[in-house]
Amino acid sequence: MSGQIVFLQAGANFLNIVKENAPTIYETTSLTPQIVGSTGKYDFSLMNLIIPSKAKHKEAALKFAVFLTNKNNQLEFAKLTSVLPVNNEALADSYFKKSSTKEELARKISAEQIQNIGEGVKNSRNKKNIILLTNTALAEIMSGKADVEPTLVELNKKIDEFKE
């Protein structure tokens, strides 16, 4: 929010924080999908709704889970928060197709990406190496020492080697 970085991979919810706390930075912020490797899969943060095996009220908990995850309730919850629905019917709603504002574009990009998610860097045993490669490549691009397209192609190749 201080304008000291050029690139940040973050969720759409971070956009509202920037808008509230650094409106000048918000105005110059651009949005783009995540960088992916050869798998084409996007990283994601997952929140689970579980019913413990020792729960006293399993039937009520299941009814509540079904209530929370139905199309209408997921859609309404998404409209009140920056959380994406897990219900594919809710994701298909026109609410996730708009892109007139930055918030709408962020929501649209996130909704499109959730259709193609996979194991991300967070779960990789080579996470530190991958983050170092990414940061180095971005520093070279930002300092003008490297061209964007070939550097990102090479970065994807190197990341894929760590995942093999």
Side-chain angles (χ1 to χ4, degrees), residues 29 44 57 69-70 72-73 75 97 100-101 115 134 139 160:
T29 298
F44 66 101
H57 306 285
T69 58
N70 77 35
N72 293 335
N73 293 336
L75 184 56
K97 310 287 187 220
S100 298
T101 66
Q115 300 296 331
T134 303
D160 288 341

Side-chain angles (χ1 to χ4, degrees), residues 1 18-19 21-29 102:
M1 289 186 289
V18 174
K19 184 177 183 178
N21 296 296
T24 305
I25 299 300
Y26 171 83
E27 290 302 321
T28 61
T29 298
K102 288 182 185 184

Side-chain angles (χ1 to χ4, degrees), residues 19-138:
K19 184 177 183 178
E20 289 177 18
N21 296 296
T24 305
I25 299 300
Y26 171 83
E27 290 302 321
T28 61
T29 298
S30 297
L31 306 173
T32 178
Q34 292 180 37
I35 297 172
V36 295
S38 62
T39 65
K41 299 288 184 186
Y42 295 101
D43 189 15
F44 66 101
S45 295
L46 179 66
M47 292 180 268
N48 291 313
L49 181 60
I50 62 165
I51 302 170
S53 60
K54 295 183 180 183
K56 290 182 182 179
H57 306 285
K58 289 181 189 174
E59 188 65 33
L62 178 60
K63 286 179 182 178
F64 182 64
V66 170
F67 170 80
L68 286 177
T69 58
N70 77 35
K71 175 191 174 190
N72 293 335
N73 293 336
Q74 283 279 293
L75 184 56
E76 288 306 311
F77 185 65
K79 288 179 179 180
L80 294 171
T81 67
S82 58
V83 175
L84 291 173
V86 295
N87 184 300
N88 286 330
E89 291 177 7
L91 273 173
D93 190 86
S94 63
Y95 180 71
F96 297 101
K97 310 287 187 220
K98 300 173 187 174
S99 60
S100 298
T101 66
K102 288 182 185 184
E103 290 81 3
E104 288 175 347
L105 179 58
R107 185 181 314 117
K108 180 180 184 228
I109 290 170
S110 295
E112 289 170 351
Q113 290 180 166
I114 203 171
Q115 300 296 331
N116 192 25
I117 56 178
E119 182 178 335
V121 174
K122 293 176 187 167
N123 300 324
S124 172
R125 69 176 186 268
N126 296 308
K127 177 182 176 179
K128 287 182 183 179
N129 294 337
I130 292 170
I131 290 172
L132 177 62
L133 284 171
T134 303
N135 290 343
T136 301
L138 292 173

